Amino acid sequence: MHSKKINEYALDTVIYVILIALGLSTLVPFITVLSKSVSEEWAITSGKVNLLPVGFQLDTLQYVVTNHQFLHAMLISVLVAVIGTLASLLITAMTAYPLSKRELPGMGIVIVLFVFTMMFNGGIIPNYLLIRQLNLIDNLGSLVLPGLISVFNMLVIKSYFESLPQSLEESAKLDGARNFTILFRIMLPLSGPVLATIGLFYAVYYWNDYFNPMLYINSTSLKPLQLYLQDIVMNADSSSFKMSAEDMMNVPAEGVRAATVIASTIPILLVYPFLQKYFIKGVLIGSVKG
């Protein structure tokens, strides 16, 4: 018995060590970019910067976060992420609620149709033609509409609704409540964990979305942060960032790339701590019943 406990303890230790090593390995690229963003240019170009910064300085980060192009692109991304997340949560919840009712006629066929769209789609050209037909080219609506509802997220919320006690709805109906009242005043207030989790999924999607802006946005003034970041990373030099002669002398181009990546990542990272307490509970409860 004693040797069995020792073996279990040793196995748990090995598993923890492997998991910790894997977790730390995912942080290496981020730490490296962070170190470059606060290092001197000569150290970056000579390849001396790895996990720790060399020649610590904050001028590059300060230059990036005070640049009006960067701030404008971030404002566009925040606007799209906030509006897109709220609209997606509303549409997803309103779709999931009726589908959580097993007595709904033809529910099986509707579910199959939704799942079909999750596995197959029309492709890039039909989607582009649809957006153009809707007159949404070079419009921020083209960044929200294509990702307005995710079938996977809808199925998670549907499963969560099914896990709530039916007696709540029956009591509300006896008091004369209609479906909209039950959804918005009973079901949604009880669905905080799953809504927070799915909201985080949607927020990350809209924040990181690069492909749709590349297809549908032409105006520089409407470019979100990811498209602006692509311009900086692919074409980073003094002209693409519109540096003045004084800036060219003081701000390193390589450091600007790294600082832009860090500055564009931090806002969405700040959202996680506020939703962490809901995250595991929301995912597990919403996915137990299929």
Side-chain angles (χ1 to χ4, degrees):
M1 181 64 73
H2 183 65
S3 61
K4 184 179 179 181
K5 287 186 177 180
I6 293 177
N7 290 336
E8 290 178 352
Y9 179 77
L11 180 61
D12 290 343
T13 303
V14 171
I15 291 174
Y16 275 113
V17 169
I18 293 175
L19 291 177
I20 291 173
L22 289 175
L24 292 177
S25 67
T26 62
L27 294 177
V28 171
F30 183 79
I31 295 174
T32 303
V33 176
L34 178 62
S35 297
K36 287 183 177 179
S37 68
V38 294
S39 297
E40 297 286 352
E41 176 73 356
W42 65 268
I44 301 174
T45 54
S46 60
K48 294 184 179 297
V49 180
N50 292 309
L51 295 180
L52 297 176
V54 178
F56 183 81
Q57 52 83 28
L58 293 175
D59 294 341
T60 310
L61 270 176
Q62 183 181 2
Y63 179 83
V64 168
V65 298
T66 56
N67 184 279
H68 74 279
Q69 293 175 280
F70 175 83
L71 294 177
H72 183 78
M74 177 169 284
L75 178 63
I76 296 293
S77 284
V78 170
L79 190 66
V80 171
V82 172
I83 295 177
T85 301
L86 294 177
S88 293
L89 278 178
L90 178 64
I91 298 299
T92 305
M94 292 181 66
T95 306
Y97 179 62
L99 293 179
S100 67
K101 307 303 169 194
R102 299 188 183 279
E103 65 273 14
L104 182 71
M107 188 186 72
I109 297 176
V110 176
I111 293 292
V112 169
L113 293 176
F114 270 106
V115 173
F116 182 84
T117 64
M118 186 169 63
M119 295 185 291
F120 304 99
N121 60 67
I124 296 175
I125 301 301
N127 285 334
Y128 180 84
L129 295 177
L130 174 62
I131 294 296
R132 190 178 68 174
Q133 195 70 21
L134 294 173
N135 293 321
L136 290 178
I137 295 296
D138 217 17
N139 186 302
L140 292 183
S142 63
L143 307 185
V144 174
L145 189 62
L148 199 57
I149 183 170
S150 161
V151 175
F152 175 79
N153 293 338
M154 186 274 291
L155 293 176
V156 172
I157 295 181
K158 167 183 169 295
S159 298
Y160 190 90
F161 285 158
E162 290 174 345
S163 69
L164 296 177
Q166 292 297 315
S167 57
L168 291 173
E169 293 185 60
E170 293 170 359
S171 300
K173 287 180 179 178
L174 288 176
D175 292 336
R178 297 179 179 275
N179 288 327
F180 272 98
T181 304
I182 295 174
L183 174 61
F184 287 101
R185 302 189 64 176
I186 297 178
M187 305 299 284
L188 292 184
L190 293 174
S191 306
V194 73
L195 291 178
T197 304
I198 298 301
L200 181 60
F201 288 163
Y202 277 125
V204 172
Y205 163 77
Y206 284 114
W207 184 265
N208 290 331
D209 187 21
Y210 160 74
F211 194 66
N212 286 327
M214 187 183 67
L215 285 179
Y216 306 132
I217 297 299
N218 300 320
S219 299
T220 304
S221 60
L222 294 179
K223 283 187 176 181
L225 195 58
Q226 300 306 321
L227 210 55
Y228 170 77
L229 186 61
Q230 187 260 350
D231 290 342
I232 294 298
V233 172
M234 300 298 293
N235 310 302
D237 52 30
S238 56
S239 59
S240 64
F241 213 76
K242 293 184 178 179
M243 293 180 182
S244 64
E246 183 181 357
D247 291 334
M248 291 172 61
M249 297 294 294
N250 298 326
V251 181
E254 285 293 329
V256 167
R257 291 181 184 174
T260 307
V261 172
I262 293 298
S264 62
T265 306
I266 287 177
I268 196 66
L269 290 180
L270 295 179
V271 177
Y272 280 92
F274 297 100
L275 300 178
Q276 186 179 8
K277 62 180 179 180
Y278 301 112
F279 196 76
I280 297 176
K281 184 179 178 182
V283 171
L284 291 180
I285 293 178
S287 58
V288 168
K289 297 180 66 177

